[in-house]
Amino acid sequence: MNLTLKIWRQKNAQDKGKMVDYQISDVSGDMSFLEMLDVLNEDLNNKGEEPVAFDHDCREGICGMCSLFINGEAHGPDRGVTTCQLHMRKFKDGDTIYIEPFRAKAFPVIKDLVVDRTAFDRIQHAGGFISVNTSGNTQDANAIPIEKDNADKAFDAATCIGCGACVASCKNASAMLFVSAKVSQFALLPQGQVEATDRVLNMVSKMDEEGFGACTNTGACEVECPKGISLENIARMNREYLVASLK
Amino acid sequence: MALDSKTPNGSVADKWTNHKNKINLVNPANKRNIDVIVVGTGLAGGSAAATLAELGYNVKAFCFQDSPRRAHSIAAQGGINAAKNYQGDGDSSYRLFYDTVKGGDYRAREANVYRLAELSANIIDQCVAQGVPLAREYGGLLDNRSFGGVLVSRTFYAKGQTGQQLLLGAYSAMNRQIGRGKIKMYNRHEMLDLVKVDGKARGIIARDLVTGAIERHSAHAVVIASGGYGNVFFLSTNAMGSNATAAWKVHKKGAYFANPCYTQIHPTCIPVSGDHQSKLTLMSESLRNDGRIWVPKNIEDAQAIREGRLKPTQLKEEDRDYYLERRYPSFGNLVPRDVASRAAKERCDAGYGVNKTGEAVYLDFASAIMRYGKEQANIKGLNADDDALVKKLGTEVIANKYGNLFQMYEKIVDENPYETPMMIYPAVHYTMGGVWVDYNLMTTVEGCYAIGEANFSDHGANRLGASALMQGLADGYFVLPYTIGDYLAQDIRTGKISTDLPEFEEAEKNVRTQLERFINNNGTHSVDYFHKRLGKIMWNKVGMARNAQGLNEAIEEIAALREEFYNDVKVPGTMDGFNQELEKAMRVADFLELGELFAKDALHRNESCGGHFREEYQTEEGEAQRDDENFAYVAAWEYKGKPSDAVLHKEELEFNDVKLVQRSYK
């Protein structure tokens, strides 16, 4: 395949940034999207130009490091995958592909396609945990039976990889899907009950403070989420929040 | 220096308890005056940082990713072992210990392995208390499954994302301490040197990967939890950023590096598709619980499949060679990883491979789908003779167990594994070698510790499935926090360590010189160009099977490649900002040294054991031939300027509780 790439280039957070055109040839359908960018970068490198900076690490869809807004969609046109799992067979010879960073006020650009997503970490510091000592002196794991259905739902919420696609896809740059996934995981487990009130209040307040927008139930986050985190979690968080606010 | 493992006396089952009772403690008020640096925030580093902070120490944690939640432990799929005996199938600490020592081909330190087995049950309790959603049965109790190399069901799991859930558990424990201000987290930072003052580890030089700033960080102890070095092969299942730098830098500062040649080749990876390949993807070993591995029995059929003239589903049962079930009837498809990997290579080398390059075997779920389907039909009172219905019901069961893995396979290969068997081939996965540590997990540099995959201690020459997560968490949550106190108890009067000391200045200068050298080099080839060439040498001559001739060649070729790299590598951009090529150059420079030591270690070990297979040393049946008389030791290498000059030190291994026998899975 021969492709035209229109890629956002931005030297650093202060730089204005602009779209730059690149041509790439001999792209095979078996390549992942990031491998295609590797080939482009090798080429740029050989020509003495600076390669395009982009975030990536595990390249098997689980670390949540890769990002990229591809043709107007977080992680590109395929559903239920991260950019590292997107393969070039999803594109056609002669296509033009727009590649941009995950844009949001709370995700400032570091360079080119790389953004700073540490706001997510700071929300977690505000309550994304169960306060238990790590000494191992806890009760036997089977002493807390958990209904399979709840355990499975908690697991589904816990599979969030923190990539930020939800924020990038939301017209308000809201982090509700991300935060609600964490709140839900603990809300569904008996271990999480003790701190439930503080957790949801603190995490939501931190989310607002970090500059994420409000949720208007558009649902784009769920559509673009590579892990299929459900909007149900937002409903559950709203309920948790309401109950906590009334206490 | 003679190696002292500091293994406590007494029976193997009592060693850890006795040791803990005698260990020096640090008063809580004094812990506040002590700083500890933790490099790496995966299962080992994350759990260590959280626990040390909770105990009261001031922790500075470093990771090269943008968040500790991204550490590559997150990619572990299958599960974590624990001798809970919830299934009542006869499991015990001793059995887990025994399986691990045997699985590692009797090249691990007995006392460490027993401690690991002993602590395994606590890990599950701890994680569940933290809200890690492990798989449950309908009764609300925890579910288990079975892994390679064992005959009991002791593996706890969370679908195919166990590593993710356990890592997020450790990360949440860290978050709690970061929120309290007890951990200072340094994201997007890379450790580039260890600083020693009066022979003791007293800090590190790190580079802020965003601003390019070179920073000095001091502490009373330094913990290396930076994972393994599988990326020395370029293609591996490791994350792209996984590197050897932190471990290699402490080696260059006096920490011995042990058993570098012990590398695990994992049998169930998705085969390589072309030259563009950047990384390999693993399919969890848990698939071997239900998948049957085979190649065509007749070489003509294999040829026809490779050329696309024949589909695997068209091949009759009697024309298939289920070679693991044939060779190892008692363990079958669940033989350990080294055995399964070699058996796949043997078949493919003999011409029975099933993909275009002839480097793949089948992992087939058809019979499992029918078996589960029949069971479901019976449970639901439906017609168990209706093949279409049975297949549908069976597919649902398989999808529940392995759905995400099947989906991942389909995305990558573009074939539906429910309809046609998966193709798999072995790939570099985990490194059992690493920084040498004593029983307290301290390296040969005082005050410098290594935990998790970064150390060498618990897996011997081969790691059994679901044991990596166990070691990472045991080291981080339960071992290091005790043993480090023993050392730090002498440091309560030391006070803050100044970063103005000449040792910091010198280390910083060296780091700066190396960075400048790359930026100003102006060669003609990219970093990846050299890394890929190193990988080819490693895979072809130091890979799944090795011989003396190939190893000698590899040693020379790597040394020559290293020279070429320094003369001809091109790193664009500047060093005072975000520069991913520069990051890679620093890492590949270390791989180019480590690779040579790796080959040297493999050459000196004139035996086959676990993940180290020397073609000259095999039984008539093609199994690994150990030499316990001459090689029952840990090979710990001392740095002397360049890998070819490294000096070998031996830690003789003693086995009092396990009798050394030829491993058999027949």
Side-chain angles (χ1 to χ4, degrees), chain A residues 57 60 121 136 140-141 185 191, chain B residues 86 126 128 131 171 240-241 279:
Chain A
D57 200 20
E60 45 188 278
D121 288 309
D140 184 88
Q185 177 193 342
Q191 300 91 323
Chain B
Y86 281 159
Q126 181 65 47
V128 166
Y171 165 69
M240 299 296 284
K279 128 133 222 327

Side-chain angles (χ1 to χ4, degrees), chain B residues 627-661:
Chain B
D627 178 355
D628 291 332
E629 205 158 303
N630 296 304
F631 290 97
Y633 61 75
V634 174
W637 298 91
E638 181 184 2
Y639 184 78
K640 289 281 188 190
K642 53 181 196 281
S644 53
D645 296 339
V647 173
L648 176 66
H649 298 266
K650 297 176 184 175
E651 179 199 338
E652 296 294 337
L653 292 169
E654 285 174 32
F655 293 91
N656 299 313
D657 288 78
V658 174
K659 196 165 152 258
L660 274 69
V661 290

Side-chain angles (χ1 to χ4, degrees), chain B residues 274-575:
Chain B
D275 285 338
H276 57 265
Q277 195 98 23
S278 61
K279 128 133 222 327
L280 297 171
T281 302
L282 180 97
M283 302 302 290
S284 166
E285 183 182 12
S286 63
L287 293 172
R288 289 198 278 145
N289 268 309
D290 286 311
R292 299 178 70 196
I293 294 174
W294 62 276
V295 291
K297 203 175 262 176
N298 304 311
I299 206 148
E300 303 78 38
D301 288 341
Q303 178 89 17
I305 285 176
R306 281 199 294 272
E307 289 165 4
R309 289 182 282 115
L310 187 68
K311 285 197 168 65
T313 43
Q314 292 170 324
L315 221 58
K316 287 205 252 1
E317 195 68 15
E318 58 268 28
D319 293 329
R320 302 173 176 195
D321 176 16
Y322 295 93
Y323 57 87
L324 288 177
E325 297 168 33
R326 168 170 59 82
R327 284 176 66 174
Y328 308 100
S330 75
F331 280 71
N333 293 295
L334 283 174
V335 290
R337 294 173 173 181
D338 58 329
V339 177
S341 295
R342 273 198 296 280
K345 181 180 193 298
E346 189 276 327
R347 283 292 81 191
C348 290
D349 287 352
Y352 295 90
V354 294
N355 69 347
K356 275 181 204 153
T357 60
E359 289 188 318
V361 299
Y362 286 125
L363 177 63
D364 197 337
F365 289 85
S367 50
I369 287 175
M370 297 311 280
R371 175 163 48 84
Y372 283 121
K374 277 206 161 60
E375 191 180 300
Q376 286 301 310
N378 286 330
I379 289 170
K380 293 180 173 154
L382 301 170
N383 180 6
D385 295 325
D386 179 347
D387 277 359
L389 174 75
V390 166
K391 192 176 164 194
K392 181 174 161 286
L393 293 170
T395 302
E396 280 166 16
V397 175
I398 292 290
N400 262 328
K401 286 182 115 162
Y402 312 110
N404 66 313
L405 299 171
F406 276 50
Q407 184 209 17
M408 187 167 81
Y409 179 87
E410 189 169 359
K411 291 284 177 199
I412 294 173
V413 183
D414 206 21
E415 272 183 7
N416 179 352
Y418 294 101
E419 296 297 331
T420 181
M422 281 183 188
M423 286 181 292
I424 52 162
Y425 197 68
V428 174
H429 182 49
Y430 184 96
T431 48
M432 283 77 66
V435 183
W436 186 89
V437 289
D438 62 19
Y439 188 74
N440 292 323
L441 306 182
M442 201 200 282
T443 69
T444 47
V445 173
E446 245 191 298
C448 179
Y449 291 77
I451 58 176
E453 191 181 353
N455 78 25
F456 86 102
S457 67
D458 294 7
H459 308 297
N462 174 51
R463 178 176 65 76
L464 288 180
S467 298
L469 307 185
M470 180 170 63
Q471 191 212 343
L473 290 178
D475 284 1
Y477 279 138
F478 307 136
V479 182
L480 180 85
Y482 275 100
T483 59
I484 204 169
D486 197 43
Y487 172 77
L488 291 173
Q490 309 146 23
D491 255 330
I492 53 171
R493 287 180 196 85
T494 307
K496 203 98 194 138
I497 315 270
S498 164
T499 54
D500 293 334
L501 293 167
E503 289 85 352
F504 276 92
E505 194 174 320
E506 198 198 325
E508 181 184 322
K509 207 176 92 196
N510 291 341
V511 166
R512 200 176 288 279
T513 308
Q514 204 187 358
L515 288 161
E516 278 166 359
R517 182 175 178 180
F518 285 127
I519 288 293
N520 299 328
N521 202 42
N522 217 8
T524 49
H525 291 290
S526 70
V527 177
D528 277 354
Y529 167 84
F530 292 99
H531 195 178
K532 283 180 183 175
R533 280 177 60 193
L534 172 66
K536 284 222 165 75
I537 299 170
M538 293 298 294
W539 182 248
N540 291 333
K541 296 180 174 167
V542 200
M544 229 188 308
R546 306 142 182 187
N547 58 51
Q549 192 198 334
L551 289 168
N552 276 311
E553 287 166 10
I555 288 169
E556 276 181 31
E557 288 170 24
I558 296 168
L561 183 65
R562 194 165 60 234
E563 197 168 323
E564 202 187 324
F565 170 77
Y566 278 111
N567 288 327
D568 200 24
V569 74
K570 175 161 72 180
V571 179
T574 59
M575 58 185 273

Side-chain angles (χ1 to χ4, degrees), chain A residues 28 30-32 35 38-39 41-42 44-60 62-65 78-81 85 87 89-90 110-111 114-118 120-122 124-126 128-149 151-152 154-156 158-163 178 182 185-186 189 191 195 226-227, chain B residues 47 50-51 54 64-72 74-75 77 84 86 122 124-126 128-142 158-161 164-165 168 171-176 178-179 187-188 210 237-242 273 276-282 407-408 410-414 477-478 524-529 570-574 578-581:
Chain A
S28 126
D30 285 336
M31 285 180 184
S32 72
E35 284 169 347
D38 289 343
V39 174
N41 276 346
E42 181 75 16
L44 290 177
N45 210 341
N46 290 340
K47 283 196 287 199
E49 294 174 38
E50 249 200 273
V52 181
F54 62 93
D55 261 335
H56 63 98
D57 200 20
C58 79
R59 295 207 176 186
E60 45 188 278
I62 192 75
C63 77
M65 188 97 170
D78 207 0
R79 290 281 84 85
V81 294
Q85 296 170 300
H87 280 71
R89 60 178 81 94
K90 297 286 168 192
I110 290 174
K111 184 178 182 175
V114 176
V115 299
D116 179 357
R117 286 170 281 186
T118 47
F120 271 11
D121 288 309
R122 290 189 292 271
Q124 302 271 53
H125 303 161
F129 49 79
I130 287 172
S131 298
V132 57
N133 281 356
T134 48
S135 59
N137 298 320
T138 50
Q139 60 186 325
D140 184 88
N142 261 351
I144 323 165
I146 300 173
E147 195 189 327
K148 182 169 168 23
D149 197 34
D152 287 352
F155 170 80
D156 288 344
T159 55
C160 166
I161 57 174
C163 65
F178 168 78
K182 207 68 206 172
Q185 177 193 342
F186 294 133
L189 297 172
Q191 300 91 323
E195 295 166 286
K227 295 295 154 186
Chain B
S47 56
T51 308
E54 188 175 285
F64 71 80
Q65 299 92 342
D66 69 333
S67 162
R69 67 171 296 141
R70 316 258 191 240
H72 194 55
I74 205 161
Q77 297 169 349
K84 277 284 202 184
Y86 281 159
N122 280 34
I124 302 304
D125 299 340
Q126 181 65 47
V128 166
Q130 282 167 230
V132 172
L134 293 168
R136 301 257 164 187
E137 291 171 342
Y138 283 99
L141 303 178
L142 289 155
K159 276 200 185 155
Q161 285 129 285
Q164 179 193 30
Q165 293 310 316
L168 293 182
Y171 165 69
S172 73
M174 278 184 87
N175 283 331
R176 177 167 168 244
I178 295 171
N187 297 329
R188 291 200 199 259
V210 176
T237 64
N238 291 12
M240 299 296 284
S242 298
S273 72
H276 57 265
Q277 195 98 23
S278 61
K279 128 133 222 327
L280 297 171
T281 302
L282 180 97
Q407 184 209 17
M408 187 167 81
E410 189 169 359
K411 291 284 177 199
I412 294 173
V413 183
D414 206 21
Y477 279 138
F478 307 136
T524 49
H525 291 290
S526 70
V527 177
D528 277 354
Y529 167 84
K570 175 161 72 180
V571 179
T574 59
F578 193 74
N579 187 338
Q580 293 173 318
E581 287 296 310

